[in-house]
Amino acid sequence: MHLLKFILPVLCLGILQAVSAALKWENLPDLPAGAGTEKQIGVAGAFTGSHNGAVIVAGGANFPHGLPWEETTEGNSPPKIYHNDIFVLKKEGGVWSWTLSSEKVPGAWAYGASVSHPKSGLICIGGETKSLPVDGKQKMLRSREVFALKWQNEKIEVDKGYPPLPRAVTGIVGARIGDVIYVIGGQDDEGSTRIFWALDLKLRGTDKYLWAEMPSFPGHARTLALAAAQHDGTSEKLYLFSGRNPGREDVELLTDAWRYDPKSGQWTQLPDIGLPGKLSRCVMAGTAVSVGIHGILVIGGAEGDLFRKLDYEIPAAIAAAKLSGDSAVVMRLQNQKLDILNKHSGFSRDVLAFNTVTRAWSHAGTIIGDSPVTLGAAKLGDRIILPSGERSPGIRTPQVLSLKLVKGYSFGGLNYAVLVIYMVAVLWHGLRFSRKVKGTDDFFKAGSRVPWWAAGLSIFGTQLSAITFIAIPAKVYGTDWRLLVGQFGIIIVAPFVIFLFLPFYRRLNVTTAYEYLEKRFNVFVRCFGSTLFILLQFGRIGIVLYLPAVALSLVTGMDVHLCILLMGLLCLVYTMLGGMEAVIWTDVAQVIILGGGAVFCLVWMAAGFPGGWNAMVDLADGDGKFRLLDFRWDLTAPAFGVVLLGSLCQNFLSYGTDQAVVQRYLTTPDERASARSIWMNGVLSILASFVFFGIGTALYSHFKMNPGALAPGIANSAAMFPYYIVTSLPAGLAGLLIAGVFAASMSSIDSAMNSVSAAVTTDFYRRFRGDVTEASALKVARGTVVVVGLLGTSLALYFAHLGSKSIWDSFAGILGFFGGGLAGVFLLGILTRRTHGVAAAFGLLASAVVQWFLVSNDVNPWFLAFTGVGSCVIAGLIAGMVLPGPRKDLEGLTIHTIKSLKPSGDVHSSG
């Protein structure tokens, strides 16, 4: 540890300088002139958002007839003009262009709330307008109106089917969580408010489709605040920043920040706006935009000191001078005010980033060009569009800025070299074992010559995919340690797997787990179980390829399709050539790289943290990141009972019925060696859990202590740990660790390919073709690996094309209804005597119905494994007693009759 502290600054020299994302600014075409105007000077307070690939800017206000502090020829100040124009910005053929819509805003409004919704469009809420001048004065009119602007069929459509606000208000801000729109603050006829209203769009068409008046937030009343919705690692929440609260004699310039949790209904105060070690700042009338998975950008804003001076201090001094009859002082103060207005240098140019997990502020960059306030933002793909606004008091700008977050770092040549060397070594490894494959017993069981410790490492590698390698640290970074309880399930389940499941697989000398189901029940149950396994593994290959590839692409710059092809095709080649023995020994090497790299990262983070391990732990502990036990009985939360019960049943499913794991039990010389491999996997799983949970917490402490080191635009939580690796570890070592991520993916994919091949060859080809030769079976086995590998890789590429895995999510959800039930069927077969094939099938169906009901009621996924197993067992037991069905000879097929089978050590010689 002391040595690491000494070499750390040297190795990291230049690494952290280019860590955070860079802001890429681009000037887009200026806002065009509206109807009846020759030149666009810009508008402030316009409704701004996006819909169907177009940016919409509507309404707004400006001073087209002169500066507001100048007098007209009639001796009056130029009036503020409110507009009803609607502008649309699109990019077609690589060219950005504006269109002036023939539709108009229903009323000339400005300074309302803008909320974009993918289906409903740009929802415009409240605002203000002014009447025409009467006797040189304008009367303020505030709005209760709510309407939506949709971009459909290349034109704007106005949707007025929204309930009005409870009362008229302007200067209000809004944000959306799902289909619920929240609006906060603003000014009504009595001044600044603590308004907090919500509208659920799902209730449209019902008598409940009204604005709900929520309990007022606990902070100051305010107007011109900033609001955004963002995920904080546990769920999406509403964030409120800054604003001002004008009074008669002074104004409160607010620097506070708040978070609202829709689930609990509670507000929480957050650290004030500002950078570490500096004074808090007001950013009223700025723009807040959620970016990535946990970031919020606060763009510009007014610090308010000049506003206080211009609107309070100088007018108060002038009034006092007038009372005393000191005209010279009055003149000097008036000139001072004009001088400030005429020489105003603009508002804040800073872009601040707030991380919703660490709740830390950092400086993300600087605005180019004008730095306006009172403008909205539209998100269009990976761009944030900032149109027009007020660049200084009373002066607008037609400027339109585009902001993109781009990587401020590169993967580097040395890292790529290490990655390529690793890939070549893996390929050579597979070719080396191809000479040992003589038949299907070698191809599927490695000739039962694998040492127990290698089998244990392979089981561990199969279950610990790249998704786990990168997802556990990301999950713990955003939450706490409550899910650690679930990692102990394998140790609890291991004895049951060894004494309940393993004897049947070894002593019956099966190749797939589903052969047992036919012996115990019937061929339908066997084929159903095998088919379900094959479909899930096919999709699993796609997901295990796609999700890590996305994360690796984000942090390395490699094309996501290239990442998928590298992992998929490499696995296909060495699995097809070398069979199970190549898979296992490749898993061994990959687990060593993965585990060793993870331990090194944890030590590295502790060594580089100011104050070392204890300070890193203290920081996380102070923020509740080590919360472990939650004894509430809440089926929707990761409470202790939910996680423990779910973990036990999940592990029964994974270690008792998953062919990818069961196949490892059959590769060792005897039953005792298989049992030792199961125990080894259990111990490794516990140790690895502490390491990966520790990494997640260390990531939290690291990025809270160094908020500028974390790019706010990280768009995938799975990229969190790889991002740290690439940006914080020395070149070469980072490449080896990223190779570990590839390794973790491939250790799951190769297992899926070989086990699906075993299922297809054994449960279908050999089962229904009758007598087949070893040569033809081996040919089918290798051909199946190729087909499954190509289809799984193609599926991952399809996910990448869509940019989402939503189709697989829906498909897996349907198949997942039967997952827990499959484990239940095995338990029915092993533990009971009266359950027959019809009853087992009925139990599977009943389990699926129960799962469907629970999923529709938002039950925590951990608990679904328990209900899936439990409902199948109960339904199967009842059906076995009630429904007729054929009875079979159960000799050697249940726990009550297993003694009639000899241990597998009598079948396979350990020598």
Side-chain angles (χ1 to χ4, degrees), residues 313-647:
E313 294 175 358
I314 291 179
I318 289 174
K322 285 181 178 180
L323 284 176
S324 64
D326 194 337
S327 58
V329 173
V330 171
M331 181 65 70
R332 179 174 59 79
L333 290 170
Q334 289 174 338
N335 289 335
Q336 181 186 1
K337 182 175 181 178
L338 290 174
D339 191 57
I340 291 172
L341 289 167
N342 288 319
K343 296 180 180 180
H344 196 287
S345 60
F347 301 104
S348 172
R349 310 179 71 82
D350 288 334
V351 179
L352 304 181
F354 181 72
N355 185 288
T356 58
V357 174
T358 62
R359 299 184 297 175
W361 290 93
S362 61
H363 187 265
T366 304
I367 302 170
I368 65 164
D370 295 330
S371 52
V373 296
T374 58
L375 76 160
K379 296 175 74 173
L380 203 61
D382 59 352
R383 293 178 182 264
I384 299 169
I385 311 296
L386 302 163
S388 200
E390 181 177 4
R391 67 178 178 84
S392 63
I395 302 177
R396 308 317 194 229
T397 175
Q399 164 192 277
V400 179
L401 288 176
S402 165
L403 170 61
K404 292 176 69 174
L405 277 69
V406 296
K407 287 194 309 177
Y409 56 91
S410 63
F411 192 48
L414 182 57
N415 287 329
Y416 277 117
V418 171
L419 191 56
V420 169
I421 291 171
Y422 173 80
M423 297 296 180
V424 172
V426 166
L427 187 59
W428 172 82
H429 196 64
L431 292 171
R432 189 167 63 91
F433 280 101
S434 63
R435 296 188 295 270
K436 294 186 177 182
V437 178
K438 307 301 182 184
T440 53
D441 189 64
D442 289 324
F443 195 77
F444 294 136
K445 299 182 184 180
S448 297
R449 55 179 173 262
V450 175
W452 65 268
W453 58 267
L457 285 173
S458 183
I459 294 171
F460 174 71
T462 297
Q463 296 298 88
L464 193 68
S465 68
I467 294 178
T468 306
F469 182 83
I470 56 185
I472 287 181
K475 182 70 175 178
V476 176
Y477 162 81
T479 56
D480 49 39
W481 283 50
R482 278 180 291 173
L483 293 179
L484 181 66
V485 174
Q487 308 305 310
F488 286 87
I490 176 56
I491 288 295
I492 300 173
V493 166
F496 295 94
V497 172
I498 291 169
F499 294 109
L500 290 181
F501 290 89
L502 183 60
F504 294 97
Y505 299 142
R506 292 294 314 210
R507 299 179 193 185
L508 292 173
N509 198 27
V510 297
T511 299
T512 74
Y514 314 107
E515 289 180 78
Y516 167 77
L517 293 180
E518 180 177 4
K519 295 177 185 293
R520 176 61 180 82
F521 296 116
N522 54 43
V523 68
F524 169 78
V525 177
R526 172 185 180 177
C527 290
F528 182 87
S530 185
T531 301
L532 184 64
F533 167 78
I534 290 168
L535 290 174
L536 282 169
Q537 290 301 310
F538 167 65
R540 186 186 183 205
I541 292 172
I543 292 299
V544 172
L545 280 172
Y546 168 66
L547 291 182
V550 171
L552 292 170
S553 175
L554 287 172
V555 299
T556 65
M558 293 174 62
D559 182 75
V560 64
H561 302 89
L562 178 60
C563 291
I564 290 170
L565 287 170
L566 277 175
M567 291 187 288
L569 296 182
L570 270 175
C571 283
L572 187 157
V573 170
Y574 74 71
T575 303
M576 185 267 294
L577 293 175
M580 179 55 73
E581 194 162 12
V583 168
I584 287 178
W585 288 108
T586 304
D587 286 352
V588 169
Q590 290 169 342
V591 165
I592 292 171
I593 293 174
L594 181 150
V599 171
F600 178 86
C601 274
L602 184 58
V603 174
W604 180 269
M605 281 190 275
F609 196 86
W613 175 270
N614 289 343
M616 185 176 74
V617 170
D618 288 342
L619 177 60
D621 189 40
D623 288 348
K625 302 300 289 184
F626 287 106
R627 182 185 181 191
L628 180 60
L629 301 178
D630 180 356
F631 289 111
R632 294 176 300 156
W633 185 248
D634 183 353
L635 298 185
T636 65
F640 177 83
V642 169
V643 174
L644 183 60
L645 290 174
S647 170

Side-chain angles (χ1 to χ4, degrees), residues 145-168:
E145 298 302 312
V146 181
F147 57 91
L149 304 176
K150 299 181 178 180
W151 178 250
Q152 296 187 150
N153 302 317
E154 297 299 307
K155 65 178 182 180
I156 288 289
E157 296 180 6
V158 181
D159 181 0
K160 299 181 181 179
Y162 291 82
L165 296 173
R167 62 181 185 273

Side-chain angles (χ1 to χ4, degrees), residues 170-367:
T170 186
I172 198 168
V173 291
R176 175 179 61 85
I177 297 179
D179 287 318
V180 179
I181 295 172
Y182 297 93
V183 292
I184 316 166
Q187 280 185 303
D188 59 14
D189 292 336
E190 297 180 0
S192 298
T193 73
R194 295 167 64 234
I195 281 171
F196 183 34
W197 298 330
L199 177 67
D200 190 343
L201 300 179
K202 294 194 299 293
L203 298 177
R204 188 166 185 169
T206 72
D207 56 2
K208 296 181 179 179
Y209 189 49
L210 298 169
W211 287 92
E213 297 196 44
M214 313 287 283
S216 298
F217 64 88
H220 295 281
R222 69 194 64 210
T223 186
L224 297 180
L226 292 70
Q230 182 58 288
H231 206 282
D232 73 339
T234 57
S235 63
E236 197 168 8
K237 295 182 173 61
L238 179 67
Y239 291 83
L240 178 68
F241 306 104
S242 191
R244 72 187 186 208
N245 182 21
R248 287 181 175 272
E249 298 180 358
D250 197 4
V251 59
E252 289 182 286
L253 302 174
L254 304 174
T255 63
D256 55 351
W258 296 84
R259 182 188 69 197
Y260 175 73
D261 183 354
K263 291 185 177 180
S264 67
Q266 299 295 316
W267 283 93
T268 302
Q269 187 163 9
L270 304 171
D272 278 3
I273 303 160
L275 300 176
K278 296 186 178 181
L279 294 175
S280 301
R281 67 166 75 177
C282 174
V283 292
M284 65 179 185
T287 307
V289 188
S290 60
V291 293
I293 48 171
H294 301 136
I296 297 175
L297 292 183
V298 172
I299 304 171
E303 296 189 25
D305 293 334
L306 284 179
F307 174 77
R308 173 181 280 140
K309 192 175 190 68
L310 293 172
D311 282 46
Y312 286 89
E313 294 175 358
I314 291 179
I318 289 174
K322 285 181 178 180
L323 284 176
S324 64
D326 194 337
S327 58
V329 173
V330 171
M331 181 65 70
R332 179 174 59 79
L333 290 170
Q334 289 174 338
N335 289 335
Q336 181 186 1
K337 182 175 181 178
L338 290 174
D339 191 57
I340 291 172
L341 289 167
N342 288 319
K343 296 180 180 180
H344 196 287
S345 60
F347 301 104
S348 172
R349 310 179 71 82
D350 288 334
V351 179
L352 304 181
F354 181 72
N355 185 288
T356 58
V357 174
T358 62
R359 299 184 297 175
W361 290 93
S362 61
H363 187 265
T366 304
I367 302 170

Side-chain angles (χ1 to χ4, degrees), residues 618-702:
D618 288 342
L619 177 60
D621 189 40
D623 288 348
K625 302 300 289 184
F626 287 106
R627 182 185 181 191
L628 180 60
L629 301 178
D630 180 356
F631 289 111
R632 294 176 300 156
W633 185 248
D634 183 353
L635 298 185
T636 65
F640 177 83
V642 169
V643 174
L644 183 60
L645 290 174
S647 170
L648 294 177
C649 293
Q650 269 189 5
N651 281 288
F652 267 122
L653 178 62
S654 296
Y655 293 99
T657 70
D658 187 336
Q659 173 62 22
V661 177
V662 170
Q663 217 167 316
R664 267 51 175 194
Y665 303 159
L666 310 176
T667 62
T668 59
D670 52 43
E671 187 175 319
R672 183 181 177 187
S674 298
R676 294 172 73 182
S677 71
I678 294 172
W679 280 117
M680 181 180 185
N681 166 73
V683 173
L684 285 176
S685 297
I686 297 299
L687 295 176
S689 296
F690 278 100
V691 171
F692 287 118
F693 273 70
I695 288 172
T697 303
L699 286 172
Y700 174 85
S701 295
H702 172 76

Side-chain angles (χ1 to χ4, degrees), residues 730-753:
L733 185 60
L736 186 61
L737 266 293
I738 292 299
V741 178
F742 277 93
S745 281
M746 292 190 290
S747 65
S748 295
I749 297 164
D750 58 17
S751 302
M753 288 180 183

